[in-house]
Amino acid sequence: MRYLIIAITALFFCNVSIAQSDYHAVVDPQSPITKNTYHTIGAALEAAPAAAEKPHIIYIRNGHYREKLTVDKPNITLLGENTDNTVITYDAYAGQKMPGSDETWGTFRSATLSVYAPGFRAEDLTIENSFDFLANDALEPDATEKVRGTQAVALTLAQNSDRAAFRNVRLSGYQDTLYANSGRSYFLDSEILGNVDFIFGAGTVLFENSDIINRPRARKMGTTGYVTAPSTNIGNPYGLVFLNCRLLKETGVPADSVPLGRPWHPTTTFADGRYADPDAIGASVFIGTWMDDHIARDGWASMGGTSRDGGKRTVFEPEGARFYEYQSRGPGAAVNTKRRQLSDEQAVEYTREKILGDWLRPFKEPSSE
């Protein structure tokens, strides 16, 4: 039987190169600084126009750039020289104090790259959070040197982010690698690596033809992580959607140890108190996805949240979320009462056009010449 995904992905896989004359800025630590050449990505971003109407393309030469970056200008493009060798890295984590402050980064501010503007695009580069999660994870729970708040985000897509497109991009981290909380984003031919809730948030995200790679824990445990933790608002029909992807694992991740996701209800301030958002009815859907044997046989897991009375935590079960599969395959695939399946009629609603809405061309089409 042919998978529906073939029809879904038929629109475009483009392979368009951008001529050097199209670059608006070049980042190259080995070249002299000129009007359009910079030694750091941060300097190139600072010099970019505040409100470009067309993509402002910043070409980044190979290198390891230890920078903590914020993109708050529209239509910025970061184009790396090579995915393996163009690396943007930083090592902030949630429990770490910010420089010159007693305040910690917190999860969301820990990101190596934070995008707060529409029209962002990245290609052919790696974005990583290099916090040494495994070394800390290996310590005994009562070790004095063990740090708390080990969430360490590589990429944040938050306030005002929309139409963020990624191709041949690697996101590398452990806990909370990708925080996609705003607007629409699209990942094509990319890799996302992590372990605990490493793809999370309330945004609409389409992953297509991409590898989602679970990383090990330093200490032996039954559940080693969760692929997704969506907090999708009930008014949003799409959350995290995986089309024609592969769920892979690094060495050391045991079989049957990773649920596909758990429902995150963020603690939110309301007029009558501060508690888990009841309208965060998370959506994670896997269509035509190959799964290795690390994926849990029961598919999904529960997650706790702050109760209205501030007392015992509320447990949110996966059956209360929008968690579905369609034509999963591989050693980790299973059909049982815990792993709900889309019908053929429901599956046809998951097309690129319907998920991304009026934004249909994240990348240029190939020239007909």
Side-chain angles (χ1 to χ4, degrees):
M1 180 178 180
R2 299 185 66 189
Y3 291 101
L4 176 68
I5 194 66
I6 296 174
I8 292 175
T9 60
L11 277 181
F12 63 89
F13 286 108
C14 51
N15 186 21
V16 180
S17 60
I18 299 175
Q20 185 167 347
S21 59
D22 291 332
Y23 306 153
H24 298 97
V26 174
V27 179
D28 185 355
Q30 307 306 317
S31 295
I33 296 176
T34 65
K35 179 181 179 181
N36 295 315
T37 303
Y38 305 88
H39 284 177
T40 68
I41 304 168
L45 288 172
E46 184 176 357
E53 295 183 357
K54 295 181 179 180
H56 179 83
I57 300 171
I58 300 172
Y59 181 71
I60 307 170
R61 296 288 186 189
N62 283 341
H64 275 65
Y65 298 86
R66 189 176 187 276
E67 301 187 55
K68 198 173 190 304
L69 302 170
T70 297
V71 175
D72 55 8
K73 300 173 179 179
N75 297 314
I76 297 294
T77 292
L78 299 183
L79 178 62
E81 185 174 353
N82 177 276
T83 303
D84 292 330
N85 298 311
T86 306
V87 181
I88 305 170
T89 183
Y90 208 78
D91 57 358
Y93 61 92
Q96 182 184 44
K97 289 184 178 179
M98 294 187 292
S101 173
D102 287 332
E103 188 177 358
T104 60
W105 288 111
T107 298
F108 314 128
R109 291 183 299 193
S110 71
T112 299
L113 174 63
S114 299
V115 178
Y116 301 124
F120 178 77
R121 174 176 171 176
E123 294 191 55
D124 301 326
L125 53 78
T126 291
I127 304 165
E128 73 171 9
N129 190 307
S130 57
F131 167 64
D132 197 343
F133 178 95
L134 286 183
N136 189 69
D137 197 40
L139 298 173
E140 295 294 332
D142 57 353
T144 56
E145 64 270 35
K146 192 178 183 73
V147 302
R148 312 299 179 208
T150 57
Q151 299 88 345
V153 178
L155 173 64
T156 281
L157 304 171
Q159 300 96 320
N160 299 318
S161 175
D162 187 34
R163 295 178 284 106
F166 303 82
R167 183 175 61 179
N168 296 331
V169 167
R170 178 181 298 118
L171 304 182
S172 178
Y174 283 87
Q175 184 174 3
D176 292 0
T177 303
L178 169 60
Y179 177 48
N181 203 52
S182 176
R184 297 160 292 175
S185 53
Y186 178 54
F187 290 81
L188 175 66
D189 298 335
S190 293
E191 294 181 353
I192 297 93
L193 299 92
N195 55 19
V196 180
D197 302 331
F198 65 101
I199 301 174
F200 72 113
T204 296
V205 190
L206 173 59
F207 302 90
E208 191 169 1
N209 203 43
S210 294
D211 289 344
I212 314 301
I213 305 169
N214 268 86
R215 311 186 90 169
R217 300 293 297 269
R219 299 172 63 83
K220 187 176 181 180
M221 54 188 62
T223 297
T224 60
Y226 308 87
V227 178
T228 66
S231 55
T232 324
N233 184 274
I234 187 59
N236 183 357
Y238 302 104
L240 309 177
V241 181
F242 301 80
L243 299 180
N244 198 31
C245 290
R246 299 190 300 173
L247 302 188
L248 308 177
K249 65 176 183 177
E250 291 186 338
T251 300
V253 179
D256 191 28
S257 70
V258 179
L260 293 168
R262 55 180 181 166
W264 179 36
H265 290 253
T267 300
T268 305
T269 301
F270 298 96
D272 59 345
R274 184 169 169 79
Y275 49 86
D277 184 355
D279 291 330
I281 309 300
S284 286
V285 177
F286 295 83
I287 297 178
T289 295
W290 190 92
M291 303 179 180
D292 209 340
D293 67 359
H294 63 297
I295 298 301
R297 285 186 293 271
D298 285 348
W300 310 92
S302 61
M303 191 173 189
T306 305
S307 63
R308 284 177 178 265
D309 61 11
K312 186 177 180 181
R313 287 172 66 81
T314 300
V315 175
F316 295 95
E317 299 294 342
E319 290 77 14
R322 292 170 286 175
F323 291 164
Y324 296 99
E325 298 173 70
Y326 183 75
Q327 295 186 350
S328 299
R329 59 196 189 280
V335 177
N336 56 47
T337 57
K338 295 288 188 178
R339 297 176 70 162
R340 292 175 291 175
Q341 306 292 310
L342 295 174
S343 66
D344 291 345
E345 292 75 18
Q346 291 171 322
V348 297
E349 295 299 313
Y350 289 84
T351 64
R352 186 187 297 112
E353 294 88 347
K354 291 181 179 180
I355 295 166
L356 299 181
D358 59 357
W359 173 45
L360 298 180
R361 291 292 182 266
F363 302 113
K364 294 180 185 177
E365 290 286 7
S367 171
S368 59
E369 299 179 0

